Amino acid sequence: MTRRPATRRPPKLASVDAPVAVATRREPTVRKQLLDSRLSGRQRVGRTEVLMTARRVVRGEPAALYELEPFVGLALDEVMVAIAEGWGPDLGSPDLAAAVSVDPDRTLACAATAFDRVADVARRGGRLLFATTRPASLLGLAQELVRLAAGAGGVVLADDETGPTNIDARSDRRLRWCDGVAVVTDGESLLGGPGFGGAAELL
């Protein structure tokens, strides 16, 4: 017993058996990581630029098709629907100068479809070829895909380095494989660019 008022008494010691609160750091969700890295969410690209690129695809311009064969009878509305399916932007807005926004849920859904396709080919022992140009951050993603595909039984096609070849209108470019992923090089540095001509060299 003590006659001291409660305000002057020493603090009570915690019981030995009392649970101790431990601060835990919550890992960000994949969706939040996509938004934080700007892979999804509001983009620097405006709707005007999206519409211009869509029209170039309809016209069959090689720079817009990235070496794909032109699509016969393709309409602008079909291209816009395909963009909306992957990106999810409201391209019908009258404010064509506004920046578009990529839906992170659409990004995750499209990525899952691509990963499922790679996994299916790998499980059946199929052949896979991986290449990237830009952005440079995709190299790590492609290398991880190589590792997963090979681990699942896929045959990853790779080499060391090609001889000089014409890529992006430069005859001194080469393809070099970094952990199973083909990249464009000038013999010294890894180069970012469209990589026009690289697909033909790979095949």
Side-chain angles (χ1 to χ4, degrees):
M1 282 286 298
T2 177
R3 296 178 180 273
R4 284 190 293 179
T7 56
R8 296 181 57 193
R9 294 175 192 163
K12 291 184 179 181
L13 297 176
S15 170
V16 175
D17 299 326
V20 178
V22 179
T24 56
R25 181 177 177 272
R26 293 182 60 185
E27 291 296 325
T29 64
V30 176
R31 189 178 191 279
K32 187 176 187 308
Q33 291 179 60
L34 286 174
L35 292 171
D36 290 345
S37 63
R38 299 285 184 89
L39 290 174
S40 293
R42 194 172 179 83
Q43 303 294 303
R44 295 188 181 94
V45 179
R47 289 190 176 90
T48 301
E49 186 175 349
V50 172
L51 287 168
M52 288 174 58
T53 301
R55 291 188 179 105
R56 292 168 61 202
V57 170
V58 171
R59 290 194 297 266
E61 295 183 17
L65 293 173
Y66 286 91
E67 299 189 77
L68 293 174
E69 291 294 324
F71 300 96
V72 179
L74 187 65
L76 180 61
D77 288 346
E78 294 176 286
V79 178
M80 301 307 287
V81 167
I83 293 172
E85 286 179 356
W87 284 17
D90 177 18
L91 294 172
S93 169
D95 184 8
L96 295 180
V100 299
S101 181
V102 178
D103 186 339
D105 295 322
R106 298 286 180 93
T107 302
L108 290 171
C110 290
T113 299
F115 294 156
D116 287 346
R117 175 62 177 151
V118 170
D120 178 60
V121 173
R123 281 193 295 265
R124 291 185 285 108
R127 297 182 299 170
L128 300 107
L129 182 62
F130 296 90
T132 188
T133 54
R134 65 183 181 192
S137 57
L138 291 180
L139 177 57
L141 173 63
Q143 289 171 329
E144 181 66 11
L145 282 173
V146 166
R147 187 186 68 79
L148 293 172
V155 178
V156 178
L157 303 178
D159 203 342
D160 294 323
E161 184 173 295
T162 68
T165 187
N166 196 308
I167 297 177
D168 292 334
R170 295 290 300 268
S171 60
D172 62 342
R173 299 299 189 237
R174 300 168 182 265
L175 293 179
R176 177 180 296 165
W177 275 260
C178 297
D179 294 332
V181 181
V183 295
V184 179
T185 177
D186 58 2
E188 295 181 0
S189 305
L190 303 185
L191 305 176
F196 294 136
E201 181 69 16
L202 283 173
L203 294 176

